[in-house]
Amino acid sequence: MTIYDWLVIGGGITGAALAYELQAQGNKVLLLEPNSNLNNATRYSYGGLPFWATSPETKELCAEGMSIHRQLPEILDCDTEFQEINLLLTIKKNESPEKILKQYQSCEIPPQLLSVAESCELEPLLNPSAIAGAIYFPHGHINPVKTNEAYLKTFTRLGGTMIHESVNSFQFHQETVVGAKTDQNTYRADKTVVCAGGLTRRLLKQSSVTVPVYFTHAELLETPPLDLKLNTLIMPAHDQRLRLEAKATALEQESLWDQPEEDLGSAVIDPGAIQFRDGHLCIGQISRTLTDPNSKVDATASEAWLREEIGTLLPALKDVPAQWHSCLIAFSPNRESTIGKLEEYDGIYVFSGFTSPLLLAPPLARRFARSVS
Ligand SMILES: Cc1cc2nc3c(=O)[nH]c(=O)nc-3n(C[C@H](O)[C@H](O)[C@H](O)COP(=O)(O)OP(=O)(O)OC[C@H]3O[C@@H](n4cnc5c(N)ncnc54)[C@H](O)[C@@H]3O)c2cc1C
């Protein structure tokens, strides 16, 4: 039986970047990912790279992330559609621009408060009567699917092995994880790293390991390529998704995450939108803290809510043809990283749940691979 140096579980942006970096360091790497066509959080992401750094501590890492993204088209031999784009964080009519601005004061690039007229000049599709202004940041942007696929392709080109199977348990030798089992096979590796996104928590829980990686259920609309032109990346300026995550992971809620069918807070909606180079758009994001990863939501009601909210802000998008999708997004409390070796067992690591993964997975994966190789 082949014994790999590293087994990477999950082929989203975190697993793909890490598998590539570990392989590039000369390790013999196996990546297990059930789907041959991406159907994960990375697939539905807006592709935004917030290099303006939300805190001084992340300044260096953000700069490193942007530097790697600039080089990725050459490294991965693929057009990742990297570009700089204007980000508008819209402020609702009934919100106070000055109060909202304060939330961004610790950012490394100073936020710029725009009037309604200035906002609409940058983004003519905005409804001027729906906003009190917007906060402007320069932002990076990639096509997340192309980037994820390019990482996977380059990983296999370097000699890495990718198999489309789903891990259902770990293989132990005493207190050490020595591989993983799927329905079809058992795989052996000196070290295993879990990059299973929103399913990271459940997978580890099956081995009685609890990690501070949680997940939201996210819902959005994706359009086919359209003729209309959205110039900017639009997101709301308020922080209600962060507040939902904080509420759902407060100490008194912790035990509920291991109960089936709990709903740990009211759903929130972020009326945002981004257009990709081929003209297709991703619209909106509803976030729910349902503890069952397999919970079903009412797609019709969800789509109606998304269309109503986006229709108020960007009326031209209200009735565009679009497909409703949902996925799980991993997160950690206080936007901290969950990266490193598990305390419970030897041979097993987690690389999941960190903030701004599209910007930060490439530099964090590189640092991780260099530190363990
Ligand atoms: C609408 C929307 C907009 C977003 N916008 C942004 C943005 O602008 N910028 C940004 O940085 N982030 C954004 N995000 C968040 C970002 O997309 C995700 O956080 C990120 O893609 C997660 O990557 P991941 O690798 O952790 O998870 P995923 O992409 O979900 O990948 C996890 C993979 O693990 C696999 N897996 C799960 N269980 C197993 C198992 N048992 N065995 C083997 N494999 C397994 C899954 O099949 C999956 O492919 C957005 C998300 C959404 C939904």
Side-chain angles (χ1 to χ4, degrees), residues 9-16 32-35 38-50 139 148 165-168 195-200 203 218-220 233 235 282-285 327-330 351-360:
I9 300 175
I13 192 67
T14 58
L32 292 174
E33 158 61 51
N35 300 306
L38 294 185
N39 183 21
N40 51 22
T42 307
R43 158 82 176 76
Y44 298 115
S45 160
Y46 282 15
L49 311 174
H139 206 61
N148 195 152
E165 291 176 18
S166 180
V167 170
N168 51 35
C195 309
L199 292 173
T200 293
L203 183 59
E219 298 134 49
L220 71 147
L233 196 162
M235 296 276 289
C282 284
I283 298 174
Q285 181 177 342
C327 61
L328 299 178
I329 304 182
F351 187 77
S352 186
F354 45 86
T355 186
S356 307
L358 294 179
L359 174 64
L360 300 184

